[in-house]
């Protein structure tokens, strides 16, 4: 059967033939794979560039997917017993399979799972967001950040503030307040000060931060939040992505002079069972409120074009 594999750390994907599953145990199911989202996370894990990566190669690409059981039931799945999800058939433990809601498009189901899970897991299982709270989404111009605005509202946020580089993209999110860093270099002192002033105008009301960027923008956010909230209330700062940098400078005074709680949300900071529940929650919201994300689809034979296509709109590989 066909599969997409990487043969060494840092390598490029190749379409290859691998043996079809030979046996299925009583606590497992065989899934005919139909659609797999090629997320940035899936690519980094496969190439050995993520903290959860292992050094075993060749490696089948893909962290999760959507397919059908033998009777045609559409399902979401992750954690195949033999590795990745970009193969025509996979064997999956029964407890890692979710039946999809009636009528949910398979490509949308594949595309929604990871970005939707990122915000639901962060808001529900890490920040424990409460109705009426103010949520600031740092980096809301991508698929995950834009979807997070909608999900934050559906989970009860009273006010949503978004930041990002492109003002036009932020304007499409439907957030209450938009703060763009377009034209600014956040590594430069004057530009940092200008951006900090914009953040400072709204910082005192922030209860939860979902940070998809890290880097300089996170440094500025933490500093301003510490000064503006001081001891008034707790701010839960949830780190999710690092598109703007993998490290920051964090003065000790930021933590000592505020009630900021720093935490992460990801593959090992949230239990696997909770991540699965978060995805189920996303699908329930999608069915009830018609949540969708922009999708670009590629047949599995065109993996190289898909690999280089970027992820906005979301890249989905189909069999």
């Amino acid at each position: 059967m066909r599969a997409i594999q990487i043969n060494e750390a840092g390598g490029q994907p190749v379409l290859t033939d691998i043996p079809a599953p030979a046996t299925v145990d009583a606590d497992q199911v065989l899934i005919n794979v139909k659609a797999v989202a090629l997320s940035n996370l899936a690519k980094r894990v496969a190439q050995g560039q993520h903290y959860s990566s292992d050094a075993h190669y060749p490696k089948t690409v893909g962290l999760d997917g959507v397919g059908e059981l033998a009777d045609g039931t559409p399902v979401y799945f992750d954690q195949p017993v033999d590795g990745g999800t970009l193969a025509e058939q996979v064997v999956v433990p029964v407890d890692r399979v979710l039946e999809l809601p009636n009528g949910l498009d398979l490509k949308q189901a594949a595309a929604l799972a990871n970005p939707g899970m990122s915000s639901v897991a962060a808001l529900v299982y890490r920040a424990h967001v409460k109705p009426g709270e103010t949520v600031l989404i740092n980096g809301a111009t991508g698929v995950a950040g834009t979807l997070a605005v909608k999900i934050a509202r559906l989970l009860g946020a009273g006010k949503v503030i978004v930041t990002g580089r492109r003002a036009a993209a932020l304007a499409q999110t439907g957030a209450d307040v938009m703060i763009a860093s377009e034209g600014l270099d956040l590594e430069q002192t004057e530009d940092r000060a200008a951006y900090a002033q914009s953040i400072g105008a709204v910082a005192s009301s922030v209860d939860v931060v979902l940070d998809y960027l890290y880097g300089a923008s996170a440094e500025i956010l933490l500093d301003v939040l510490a000064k503006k909230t001081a001891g008034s209330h707790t701010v839960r700062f949830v780190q999710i992505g690092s598109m703007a940098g993998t490290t920051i400078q964090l003065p000790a005074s930021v933590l000592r002079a505020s009630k900021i709680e720093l935490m992460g949300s990801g593959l090992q900071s949230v239990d696997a069972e909770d991540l699965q529940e978060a995805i189920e929650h996303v699908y329930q919201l999608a069915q009830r409120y018609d949540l969708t994300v922009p999708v670009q689809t590629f047949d599995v034979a065109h993996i190289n074009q898909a690999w280089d296509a970027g992820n906005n709109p979301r890249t989905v590989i189909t069999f």
Side-chain angles (χ1 to χ4, degrees):
M1 67 178 182
R2 296 176 298 169
I4 302 300
Q5 292 195 324
I6 286 181
N7 292 316
E8 59 185 358
Q12 293 299 301
V14 293
L15 177 62
T16 188
D17 286 319
I18 64 173
T23 59
V24 180
D25 294 340
D27 59 348
Q28 300 170 342
V29 292
L30 179 69
I31 296 175
N32 296 308
V33 180
K34 299 299 181 182
V36 173
L38 189 62
S39 65
N40 290 327
L41 174 61
K43 289 156 69 172
R44 291 199 302 271
V45 169
Q47 291 184 312
Q49 298 170 350
H50 190 261
Y51 65 81
S52 66
S53 301
D54 61 43
H56 301 298
Y57 290 92
K59 186 191 304 294
T60 301
V61 178
L63 298 177
D64 60 3
V66 170
E68 295 177 349
L69 303 180
D71 62 2
T73 301
V75 294
Y76 166 87
F77 66 92
D78 64 2
Q79 299 185 24
V81 297
D82 289 327
T85 59
L86 266 170
E88 289 186 275
Q89 291 186 320
V90 293
V91 174
V92 181
V94 171
D95 62 2
R96 301 310 306 171
V97 177
L98 294 173
E99 185 173 343
L100 296 179
N102 290 333
L104 187 61
D105 178 77
L106 296 188
K107 294 185 289 295
Q108 277 293 325
L112 278 165
N114 184 265
M117 174 270 290
S118 74
S119 52
V120 170
L123 288 166
V124 174
Y125 296 100
R126 299 298 279 159
H128 303 291
V129 68
K130 302 176 182 65
E133 289 191 315
T134 295
V135 175
L136 187 153
I137 299 169
N138 188 36
T141 58
V143 172
T146 301
L147 186 59
V149 176
K150 300 176 184 177
I151 288 176
R153 289 200 190 282
L154 294 175
L155 292 177
K159 182 178 182 180
V160 180
I161 301 166
V162 292
T163 70
R165 184 164 295 278
R166 294 176 288 120
L170 291 178
Q172 300 299 313
T173 64
D176 299 291
V177 179
M178 294 151 282
I179 301 173
S181 59
E182 196 164 23
L184 300 178
D185 181 352
L186 298 186
E187 301 294 341
Q188 300 298 318
T189 301
E190 289 185 3
D191 286 353
R192 286 175 76 98
Y195 189 65
Q197 185 174 11
S198 297
I199 296 294
V202 298
S204 62
S205 67
V206 174
D207 299 294
V208 174
V209 176
L210 301 190
D211 174 34
Y212 287 92
L213 297 179
Y214 216 48
S217 65
E219 291 177 353
I220 296 168
L221 265 175
L222 286 165
D223 182 60
V224 174
L225 286 168
K227 291 173 180 175
K228 293 293 183 178
T229 62
S232 65
H233 67 281
T234 299
V235 178
R236 289 98 77 200
F237 189 104
V238 189
Q239 212 300 297
I240 303 172
S242 51
M243 296 299 291
T246 58
T247 61
I248 63 170
Q249 295 287 330
L250 180 62
S253 59
V254 167
L255 300 181
R256 293 204 308 268
S258 71
K259 293 182 178 180
I260 292 175
E261 296 180 352
L262 289 176
M263 65 193 83
S265 184
L267 294 178
Q268 293 170 354
S269 57
V270 182
D271 291 342
E273 293 78 9
D274 290 338
L275 290 177
Q276 187 180 50
E277 284 188 10
I279 292 169
E280 187 171 19
H281 199 158
V282 172
Y283 288 149
Q284 292 168 353
L285 294 174
Q287 184 186 43
R288 187 177 306 167
Y289 300 104
D290 196 28
L291 284 184
T292 60
V293 294
V295 171
Q296 56 182 336
T297 61
F298 294 84
D299 182 83
V300 66
H302 301 136
I303 182 59
N304 296 112
Q305 295 96 310
W307 195 267
D308 297 330
N311 225 356
N312 192 6
R314 207 72 170 172
T315 299
V316 174
I317 308 298
T318 59
F319 284 93

